Each structure stands twice: as structure tokens, then as C-alpha cells.
Amino acid sequence: MYRVIQFSTGNVGREALRMIIARPDLELVGVHAASPAKIGRDAAELCGLGEPTGITATDDLDALVALGADCVVFTAQAETRPDEALAQMCAFLRAGTDVVATSFVWLVNPRSADAWLLDPLREACEEGGSSLYVNGIDPGYSGDTLALAALSLAGSADRVVIQEVFDYADYDDGEFTGVQFGFGLPADAEPALMATPGIVASIWGGSVHLLAEAMGITLDSVSDRWETWVTPTPIDCVMTKVEANCVAAVRFAAEGFRDGRAVIVVEHVNRLTPAAAPDWAYPPEGRDGVHRVLVEGHPGIEINSHVGGGEISETFAGVVSTAARVVNAIAAVRAADPGILGVVDLPAGYAGRVMS
Ligand SMILES: NC(=O)c1ccc[n+]([C@@H]2O[C@H](COP(=O)([O-])OP(=O)(O)OC[C@H]3O[C@@H](n4cnc5c(N)ncnc54)[C@H](OP(=O)(O)O)[C@@H]3O)[C@@H](O)[C@H]2O)c1
């Protein structure tokens, strides 16, 4: 039985919290909330469960660290407030509490992450004899577990393309994803933050480097591209409202080049209506989304991976699966040697800890 703290109750955090409460091998011992309206409320209430847990949310970091928990599931926003989030993670790691996280997506492949992030976390792990593991569905699963599974079936591989093709219309994340991706921006407006050269490569480039390592190739460069599609008619969806002549679809990629050819491509196509960007890739018929791996080689391989559908929308299922990716890894992270872990540092069967 592992004593676990849930750090944040946003989109991913609420799902992680429900999993922790439900699992017999995990004991919830603490919950962090930043919003004053959440502080003092029972964990069950914060994730929509009926039976109180007796664990109430707090913003007292020191008190949470002092619990001496085995692991923190850290799902607080980090990319937009890196200094504070880094200090919060380091406090747990220094105290000997492992951290599994969906935050700081740059750490999905720690081998290619920047020193400003790695160095303090590594020092904290050393001091506390603790471990940190960051993952999610994308970046994460699609560019590591799924892609590595496809490559394991290839006798030879010349090129690998990873795609997330998702209709984000009903993704309730307008304030973050909506703004960062620039949905709703006029065609002639200043581009969204994510369109800044280098940002896409910094987030998805880790998967490019991981796959280059798996394929045993040296890349000449990793770069990114960004395209937008503007809608001729207004769109009103859960994600945001889009006026005519504003952005309703984006296509972007981190690409690893060798001899002038993009040999590893990690691409997103995200639209807000099926009618948007008709020339770009679509998921298979009847699906709102897909995580896809295409290997050009001998033999050619294609894996289309779907979460949810039916009663649970595929975008919401992606949020649930992002939480599951790290909650299911707690036992493996606890068993691992101290340090900053990537998926290749964990046993391939770690998802075997998923509870029914
Ligand atoms: N790799 C993937 O596939 C994937 C997918 C989805 C998300 N993510 C990552 O997971 C993280 C969470 O995403 P999300 O969609 O759940 O975000 P979200 O719904 O916006 O939730 C963000 C959470 O951050 C907390 N927070 C904000 N300011 C804070 C502060 N100063 N101190 C502590 N906590 C603070 C909020 O706490 P309150 O609720 O108390 O205000 C909120 O619960 C992000 O880093 C995101 O990039 C990764």
C-alpha cells in the first residue's frame, strides 16, 4: 500500500484523484489545491465522488511535504509557472517522496530535457533518494510506448510518423490549450505562443530524440513547423467561440532531419469541427480522434490507437488516460533506482498495476 498525495484538482488532477481513492493499493493522504474556493473541501467532493474521504485540500506545501508520503501525483499547471512548480516538486523529492507527474511535459524524455530543469530536480532526487517520472498520452504514450511497440515489429525502419489527430471541439480547456494553440485568433493576429519557433520542438522533440535512439540513428537537426486554418463561418464549441476568418484548426510538428529528409515526425492535427482543414489528416471513420504510428520500412506498420468514444468523448478519455499513465506507474517508480526516469527506465509491464 502506497501513501499518496494528489497535487492539484484540475482536468487531469480530478481524474487522478478518483483513481487514487478507488484503488486498494493506494492510500490518499493529502490533496493540494491552489484555488481558495477548494481549500478545506473533502477530496471526494473535489473529484465528484459521493463518500467523503476525510482528506481535505490544502495549499500548505510544507504540511504536505511533512506527511512523508511515498509518492505525489503532480498534475498542477507547471509550464506557465516553471519556477514555482519546480520548487514544489523539488520540496517533495528532497524529502524522499517520489513524484509522478503530467506537468513539465519537457521531461517526458528526460534525456533530452534542458539543464535548467534537470539540474535542480536531479539534485533534489539525490538528496532525497527519490525519483521523478513525467508522462501523459501526448506527449508521452503516443511518442514512446505506442511508437516503440510499432518499431518492435519492424525488421527495418526508414521513417516514423507519430500523429495526434483530434477534434478538440468538446475539450473543456479553452483557457490553456485554446489560448496556447491560438484557436479563435484572427488570421492576421500575432501568432499564438505555441507557434513561436522552437516551442513545439521543445515539447514534442523529446519523442523525436527517443525514437532516434531506438532506431540507432543520429539526426542532423530537430526543428518544428506550424500551420493554421481559418474558418469561413463562425463556430461555437466547448473549447471556444471562433468568429469567421479566425483560426479553427492547427497542424504542427517536431521533425527530426537526416540527410535533408524528415525521418522522424511527431505531428498534431487539431480541429474544432470535422469541416475544418479538409485537406489535413483525419481519424478513421466514426472516430473523433486517433493517436497513430506509421512506420515506413520492412514491413510497413500502422497502429491506430483510440481512447474513449461512445459514452466518454475521446478528448475527455485522453485526459483520463493521461492521469492513468502516471497513477499506474507509481509502483514501478517506487521500485526504480533514484533519479529522473523516462519510460525506458521502467519495466515494460508497468501498466500491469492498473486496477479493474
Ligand atoms: N502529456 C499529456 O498528454 C498531457 C495532457 C494533458 C495535460 N498535461 C499536462 O498536465 C498538467 C495539468 O493539465 P490540466 O489540463 O489538468 O490543467 P488544468 O485543468 O488547467 O489544471 C491546472 C491545475 O494547476 C493548479 N495550479 C494553478 N496554479 C497553481 C499554483 N500556483 N500552485 C499549485 N497549483 C496550481 C490548479 O489548481 P486549482 O484547481 O486548485 O486552481 C489546477 O488544478 C499541465 O502541465 C499539462 O501540460 C499533459
Side-chain angles (χ1 to χ4, degrees), residues 67-335:
L67 289 172
D70 294 309
C71 192
V72 175
V73 180
F74 194 99
T75 56
Q77 184 48 246
E79 293 84 11
T80 55
R81 46 170 212 103
D83 294 343
E84 196 184 14
L86 191 53
Q88 289 167 337
M89 272 191 187
C90 285
F92 286 108
L93 292 168
R94 269 197 304 272
T97 297
D98 289 343
V99 177
V100 298
T102 63
S103 322
F104 279 139
V105 290
W106 303 296
L107 288 166
V108 159
N109 179 6
R111 294 168 201 224
S112 62
D114 290 341
W116 69 266
L117 191 53
L118 282 179
D119 289 351
L121 288 165
R122 210 174 260 142
E123 278 168 31
C125 287
E126 273 168 27
E127 193 178 327
S130 52
S131 301
L132 166 67
Y133 174 66
V134 177
N135 213 271
I137 191 165
D138 187 307
Y141 160 79
S142 61
D144 55 46
T145 303
L146 182 67
L148 293 172
L151 281 174
S152 77
L153 299 171
S156 64
D158 302 323
R159 187 169 188 259
V160 183
V161 178
I162 317 296
Q163 288 181 321
E164 176 184 293
V165 184
F166 258 75
D167 189 324
Y168 274 177
D170 63 359
Y171 186 10
D172 189 6
D173 196 30
E175 281 174 24
F176 185 68
T177 302
V179 170
Q180 306 289 337
F181 282 33
F183 289 127
L185 283 179
D188 55 359
E190 187 80 4
L193 178 69
M194 287 271 294
T196 310
I199 298 278
V200 166
S202 81
I203 297 174
W204 283 272
S207 303
V208 174
H209 289 290
L210 181 83
L211 297 179
E213 200 181 319
M215 293 165 75
I217 59 173
T218 304
L219 296 170
D220 300 325
S221 62
V222 176
S223 58
D224 47 28
R225 59 175 159 82
W226 182 275
E227 298 160 83
T228 56
W229 184 90
V230 296
T231 176
T233 51
I235 298 167
D236 191 357
C237 60
V238 175
M239 172 68 84
T240 191
K241 268 189 176 169
V242 185
E243 302 300 336
N245 300 316
C246 294
V247 174
V250 293
R251 178 166 69 173
F252 59 84
E255 299 180 302
F257 282 85
R258 193 178 181 223
D259 299 332
R261 191 168 160 256
V263 289
I264 302 174
V265 178
V266 180
E267 181 177 69
H268 266 231
V269 173
N270 297 120
R271 39 169 74 84
L272 297 182
T273 163
D279 296 335
W280 295 354
Y282 277 95
E285 189 72 31
R287 288 287 186 169
D288 291 331
V290 64
H291 289 105
R292 178 182 286 145
V293 185
L294 299 157
V295 179
E296 292 174 17
H298 180 69
I301 293 158
E302 174 173 343
I303 306 179
N304 287 290
S305 173
H306 300 285
V307 289
E311 284 179 10
I312 298 182
S313 79
E314 297 181 31
T315 47
F316 175 60
V319 171
V320 178
S321 294
T322 291
R325 270 305 267 181
V326 295
V327 172
N328 290 340
I330 290 174
V333 170
R334 289 292 300 153

Side-chain angles (χ1 to χ4, degrees), residues 16-40:
L17 186 52
R18 292 170 76 100
M19 290 170 206
I20 295 165
I21 291 170
R23 286 179 69 131
D25 60 336
L26 305 178
E27 180 195 358
L28 180 73
V29 295
V31 177
H32 185 275
S35 298
K38 292 184 177 180
I39 292 165

